Structures are given as structure tokens and as C-alpha cells.
Amino acid sequence: MRIFAVGNSFYGDDGVGAAVLDRIREADIFPGACLFDAHTDALALLDRFTPGETNIIVDAADMGLEPGAVAAFRPAEVDMKIRSDHLSMHGFGLGETFAMAARLGSMPEDVLIVGVQPAQMEINTGLSEPVAAAIPQVLSLIEAEATE
Amino acid sequence: MSRNLDINVKHLTRVEGHGNIVVNMKEGTLEKAELQIVEAPRYFEAMLKGRSFHEAAIITSRICGICSLGHQLCSLKATEQALGLEVSEQTKLLRTLLTHGATLQSNVLHAYFLAAPDLLDVGSVFPLVESHPDVVVRALRMKRLANDIGDVVSGRAVHPITPVPGGFTRIPTEKELLELKRRLVEEMVPDFLATVETMQALAGKIPDFTRDTEYISLRADDCYALYDGDICSSDTGRVADSEYRAMTNEFIVPHSTSKHCKVNRSSYMVGALARWNNNHDKLNDVALDAAEKLGLKPNCINPYMNTIAQVVEAGYCALDSVAIIDKLLSDGLKNELPNQEPTRFGTGIGSVEVPRGILYHEYTYDRQARITAANCIIPTGQNLGNIDDDMKKLVPEIVEKSKEEITLTLEMLVRAYDPCISCSVHMLDVDFIE
């Protein structure tokens, strides 16, 4: 199993993926799982998706839900917004990465995204209360996927 | 032509008021031509104040995943100068190798994913994935190998962890370096030569726009300066990096929350084109040959050619990485421990060339080796005034084109600088399919 985090941990709830990886490491919850924090370079995942393995991505996601709400979904189940008018390489996120992987045929079959609805994305604030409280639910969704 | 023009391109709506191109012309008179974009990492000082010298580089490397390595190395240099920590020749070589990997990766991605779609007039890289999959796969292959340089030397590509104040916590093995060298020679060099061919086919489509400006970069005696050097202005020559405040002169402008910079003129340019103009005599043959093929000449004053300068640098970095590995191996790898015994406590300045231009960190430490003051000046902030000045000259020259063409030409200009949206978040934006 591979567990990836995407997001900038300096920007409040955008750091939820990194916080989940920290929790997994501290408590050694999924021994043997490969953990990787792509931070804001989502394209780095292209090299790390592994066919034949479970690839789980934890990211802050604007899903139109209550802050702290958690949802697990497959890429095909959602419409991920991609921007095509980038001014900078800094704008390439997970949506763009999936679009590229899909078109190149390098998208592994087994990808699960665990999205957490953020409450705030301000700099230097740490996780908000509802998002911090959502981490156990993220872990149980990963657990469920792992034992499936 | 007496024309009214009102262009307002909002690119980064999540960061309100940032990343906008604003052009306003009334009856043929240009009233406004500006790029409004992000500031240097805000609260930089607050993030670092009170932190120990072990933590500074770790924190700053996390400001931005794309510019992670540049911030980390710049931070280490500032800390080492402030605390009087000498580093070994091997450390400098390994850090230069890291810099080459990061430059290679960023330059290649910028050329293929941002510039090429403009030159092919396809809007974004996504149509290229279908029309030219081999080219996109090549770009990703180059990115991966460039990443792997980081993995081998620093333990991890995105957030390097083994580089610490005073050196490295782990030295790569001879076997790892030999394998890296093999891949650079057998994979990266052919991919680079193919890249030059691809770009050669597109270079003719680069807008023909020139504006003389001041170019500022690092410069060193013995190499194409990326990791270390003096600050060099194309107008006034070299000064030590202790003069960085005089060589940036940050000031506030009303239209942007980000500070602008100027030295000898109203603005200056940093980045690959500045480095090329100041240091082309230090490039290796592969890079110079690429420059010739791509029509990049010394003292180039077309900012759109920044992309071509990035491609040229990629060739330099690939071949110089091989040279560095050869030197490391012929000198013999030493399992040295990082030098972490401060000999003084004061202020130190770090300067490195990151892909987008010269980056500065400055820290002051107290006697407990904790930071009491910190400052950071990023390349994009330095380029903002230059982009505005480019737009002010460019818009009247292309005013007879359609609004769409003008907008695209301005977007291409901004993209040529590959601005760092350092404060951006990368939240996924999704709608569930019902």
C-alpha cells in the first residue's frame, strides 16, 4: 500500500495530508506501507503511483461539505477541476496530475482519494479543530481500503 | 491608433487579488500595465523567530514544494555564515549537484509544460499529451531523473533531509553515484539533445520583443554560478552578497501587496536569461552548442528568451552533474560528519540561484543559536517591476492586435518568467458526479 499526502502544511488545513502521514508514522499504524508527502508538487506522484498496489491520496478537498467532513472517492467518481491557463508551474495540482496520468495511460487502477473539507487555508495557523478531529476518520477509511 | 483596452486576467482566484494581469488603455494612452502577484513568503520572520539553527532550513524548505531545495540551501548558507560553520569541498560539490538536479527539473518542466503549449498555440499541456505523447513522456522522464539526483544526494527529492547546517548527515555511496552518472549519460543527455531539437522547431515562434534592462545574477570565477558566487549586475559588475539589500532595494508599490525591487534602473531581471547574459562564458560546450542552435546570443534582451536560456542551462546542469560525480569519485568520498560547532553568533546571508533567479535569506542568531531576525527576498518579487516595465513597452507595440492576442502575448510574457506562486495552496477542487 502507498499513502500519499498532497498540500502545503504551512497553509492551515491544506496540511491535513502531511498531518495524517505524521500520525501514521508516530503510531506505526500501517507497517510496511510506503508513505510519501508530495507537498505542493503533485506531479511527483506520477513517478510514484504503483500499479498493482493500493494507492491512497490524502488531500484537503473543496467538496462543498461541512468543514472537517471526510469522503473517500475514486478519481472516476468526481469531476476534478483542472486549470489550463497556468501562469506558473506552481499551479499544477492533483487535478492536473490525474488528467495527465489518465491521458498517458499511467494511471494505476487502484487509486483512492480521501478528501477532507478544509475550514481555513490561512498561512501559519495549523489545522483547524474540525479538520484535526477528522484525522481518525481518515485513518479508518484507509484501514478499510487496506483490508478490502 | 486611438484605442480603449481593458484587460483583467484573473488566474489565481483562490488567492484574492493576486496573479492578475491588469492592462488599461484609454484613447490610445496606456494608463496601467501591471502584474499583481504574490508576495515573498509572508510571516517569514514570524515562522523562524526563536527557532534553533537546526530547524531553520527544515522550516524554510517547506514554504514551497517547488522551490524547496533552493530555500533549504539558501537557508543553510545563511545559518553557516551567521554561526561561522565552515563546510567542506565535498559538501559544496554535493550541494551544487543538488542545485543542478533542481534547476534541471524546473527548467525542463517550464519549457515543456508552460512554454511549449504557448508556442504550439494549444492553450495548455493537456492537448500535447494526446498530440505529442512521446514529448510529454520525455519531459516526465527528464523530471524523474532530475528528481532522482535529489533522492540520491539528499535522501529525498521534494524535501531534502540529509543536507543540514555544516554538511550532510549521509553521504551517497560510490555505487549510487555511478548509477546516477550512467543514467545521466545514457538517458539524460540523449533526452536533452532531443529537447533541443524540439525547441528548435518552436523557437521561431517566440515573440520578437526586446527591452534593455539590468540583469542581476550570481557570478563566480570558476563555474556557471548557481550554488555560490558574488552578486553581479550587467550594469555595474560584481559585489559581495553582503550587499544584497543595496542590490534589491525593496520598495512598496500601490498596485501590489508584494514589494518591488530596483537597483540602477526602474527595474531589473533575474533568472535564466540574467544568468545567461552575465555568465554565458562559463557554460560547457553542450550548453553553448544548444544556445547556438536555439538562437540565444549573448546580451539577449528579449525576456521571452528566458525559456530558451532555461533549456540551455538544463544541458549545462546535466553535463556538469557528470563532471561533479567524476570529481567526487576521483577525490574519494569521505564519510565526514557535519560541522555543527558554532564559532560565532551573528548575522549571516545566504544567496543561491534558484530556477527563477537569485534568492536571498538573512538570519540573525543569538548566543543560544536561536533566530532573532529573518529576511527573505524571492526572485519573483525581484522580477515584478521588470514584468510591469516589459508590459508598458509591449502593449503599445502590439496594440493593433485583437484583445485576445494581446492577452495571450501578455500571459506568455508572464509565463516566460515562470513566477513563483509561493503562497499558493494546492487544495483539490472537486464536484461529485451525480
Side-chain angles (χ1 to χ4, degrees):
Chain A
M1 179 165 63
R2 298 189 154 236
I3 307 171
F4 304 110
V6 180
N8 190 339
S9 45
F10 269 127
Y11 285 79
D13 292 335
D14 204 29
V16 64
V20 167
L21 291 193
D22 284 347
R23 188 74 61 88
I24 292 171
R25 272 192 207 100
E26 280 159 20
D28 198 15
I29 302 176
F30 302 110
C34 170
L35 309 179
F36 179 74
D37 183 359
H39 201 56
T40 53
D41 181 17
L43 278 178
L45 295 184
L46 280 179
D47 298 334
R48 288 179 164 85
F49 284 145
T50 312
E53 277 200 49
T54 305
N55 296 270
I56 296 173
I57 298 160
V58 185
D59 192 9
D62 186 2
M63 305 174 287
L65 303 173
E66 288 294 307
V70 181
F73 47 89
R74 313 272 163 195
E77 293 170 336
V78 295
D79 175 20
M80 275 179 264
K81 310 271 167 57
I82 64 165
R83 292 173 177 277
S84 59
D85 60 346
H86 296 96
L87 280 183
S88 160
M89 283 311 299
H90 284 72
F92 280 70
L94 201 49
E96 287 79 2
T97 300
F98 281 141
M100 192 160 286
R103 287 174 208 203
L104 289 170
S106 57
M107 191 75 187
E109 280 171 27
D110 192 1
V111 174
L112 182 79
I113 301 160
V114 183
V116 183
Q117 182 74 41
Q120 49 83 15
M121 309 280 273
E122 292 295 310
I123 194 169
N124 223 13
T125 48
L127 295 187
S128 67
E129 216 170 282
V131 168
I135 290 179
Q137 201 189 337
V138 173
L139 294 173
S140 35
L141 283 170
I142 298 174
E143 173 84 58
E145 180 72 9
T147 52
E148 205 174 69
Chain B
M1 185 174 159
S2 182
R3 180 165 185 192
N4 291 320
L5 194 61
D6 195 9
I7 293 173
N8 194 336
V9 188
K10 289 192 179 177
H11 281 269
L12 302 155
T13 49
R14 277 187 217 142
V15 189
E16 193 62 42
H18 297 303
N20 304 337
I21 295 171
V22 181
V23 172
N24 196 269
M25 183 177 257
K26 238 182 207 160
E27 295 175 357
T29 305
L30 188 64
E31 294 188 332
K32 194 183 268 189
E34 311 170 332
L35 172 67
Q36 303 170 343
I37 208 160
V38 293
E39 55 206 286
R42 288 175 297 167
Y43 308 114
F44 188 80
E45 181 163 7
M47 276 193 282
L48 288 172
K49 218 167 170 175
R51 301 291 193 145
S52 86
F53 78 102
H54 295 288
E55 295 174 288
I58 298 168
I59 293 168
T60 55
S61 77
R62 298 191 69 92
I63 291 171
C64 170
I66 312 274
C67 313
S68 172
L69 182 90
H71 277 297
Q72 174 155 38
L73 294 185
C74 199
S75 177
L76 291 175
K77 284 178 73 179
T79 291
E80 285 158 0
Q81 196 187 80
L83 301 180
L85 305 172
E86 292 291 329
V87 302
S88 69
E89 215 35 54
Q90 176 174 281
T91 290
K92 287 178 191 166
L93 284 171
L94 287 170
R95 287 182 183 175
T96 306
L97 192 52
L98 280 175
T99 306
H100 284 0
T103 308
L104 191 48
Q105 159 166 323
S106 179
N107 287 12
V108 164
L109 279 186
H110 177 257
Y112 278 111
F113 285 12
L114 278 186
D118 275 336
L119 301 174
L120 287 164
D121 199 19
V122 290
S124 81
V125 69
F126 299 106
L128 291 187
V129 184
E130 267 140 36
S131 62
H132 299 78
D134 51 326
V135 173
V136 175
V137 168
R138 185 202 301 148
L140 290 171
R141 192 166 55 227
M142 293 172 84
K143 169 186 160 49
R144 177 169 197 154
L145 180 43
N147 254 2
D148 288 347
I149 296 177
D151 275 350
V152 167
V153 178
S154 73
R156 250 199 75 183
V158 183
H159 296 298
I161 42 174
T162 62
V164 294
F168 283 82
T169 54
R170 176 187 174 271
I171 306 299
T173 64
E174 184 175 331
K175 192 177 162 204
E176 286 170 335
L177 288 176
L178 281 172
E179 171 62 7
L180 198 56
K181 177 185 166 179
R182 183 194 65 75
R183 291 177 61 204
L184 283 164
V185 171
E186 292 177 13
E187 298 168 25
M188 186 63 88
V189 172
D191 276 344
F192 172 72
L193 297 175
T195 301
V196 174
E197 268 179 43
T198 302
M199 290 297 154
Q200 220 173 345
L202 301 178
K205 295 181 180 168
I206 288 175
D208 182 19
F209 166 73
T210 54
R211 187 181 69 82
D212 196 16
T213 189
E214 181 176 12
Y215 295 93
I216 295 184
S217 71
L218 292 180
R219 179 165 172 88
D221 292 329
D222 54 350
C223 63
Y224 187 84
L226 291 170
Y227 170 68
D228 207 10
D230 291 335
I231 304 171
C232 177
S233 155
S234 56
D235 284 356
T236 52
R238 288 164 76 163
V239 293
D241 67 359
S242 54
E243 300 296 313
Y244 88 98
R245 284 184 190 264
M247 293 303 283
T248 48
N249 280 313
E250 284 189 304
F251 64 99
I252 291 164
V253 293
H255 70 266
S256 172
T257 52
S258 176
K259 288 175 183 167
H260 281 210
C261 295
K262 65 177 174 183
V263 184
N264 293 298
R265 310 189 192 195
S266 63
S267 60
Y268 63 87
M269 183 173 183
V270 297
L273 189 63
R275 293 191 289 261
W276 159 264
N277 279 336
N278 289 346
N279 298 318
H280 57 81
D281 59 317
K282 302 290 184 190
L283 285 169
N284 52 28
D285 289 345
V286 170
L288 289 171
D289 187 47
E292 194 179 339
K293 286 193 172 121
L294 295 169
L296 180 65
K297 298 191 168 58
N299 307 315
C300 172
I301 56 170
N302 178 352
Y304 290 94
M305 291 296 276
N306 193 51
T307 302
I308 298 301
Q310 289 179 325
V311 172
V312 168
E313 284 186 334
Y316 170 79
C317 290
L319 268 295
D320 199 53
S321 295
V322 174
I324 289 173
I325 291 173
D326 283 343
K327 172 138 180 59
L328 282 164
L329 295 179
S330 69
D331 289 353
L333 287 169
K334 297 168 217 47
N335 260 328
E336 16 175 69
L337 291 172
N339 166 21
Q340 300 202 327
E341 292 300 319
T343 57
R344 60 187 282 264
F345 300 95
T347 296
I349 292 151
S351 56
V352 294
E353 284 287 345
V354 296
R356 289 151 191 85
I358 195 165
L359 169 70
Y360 302 102
H361 282 210
E362 180 185 8
Y363 308 144
T364 302
Y365 280 92
D366 66 15
R367 298 192 66 80
Q368 280 72 49
R370 293 190 177 275
I371 291 175
T372 58
N375 187 31
C376 167
I377 299 181
I378 63 167
T380 293
Q382 297 173 71
N383 272 332
L384 288 178
N386 206 67
I387 296 173
D388 285 1
D389 284 349
D390 281 348
M391 291 203 288
K392 286 187 182 86
K393 179 169 188 281
L394 177 60
V395 172
E397 289 178 11
I398 57 172
V399 72
E400 289 182 25
K401 295 184 182 225
S402 70
K403 185 174 171 179
E404 289 67 34
E405 281 176 293
I406 295 173
T407 303
L408 177 63
T409 310
L410 292 176
E411 285 180 359
M412 284 173 66
L413 174 74
V414 174
R415 275 194 278 276
Y417 286 80
D418 192 10
C420 171
I421 320 295
S422 62
C423 299
S424 66
V425 290
H426 280 67
M427 174 172 65
L428 183 61
D429 199 358
V430 298
D431 282 335
F432 289 99
I433 298 168
E434 298 297 328

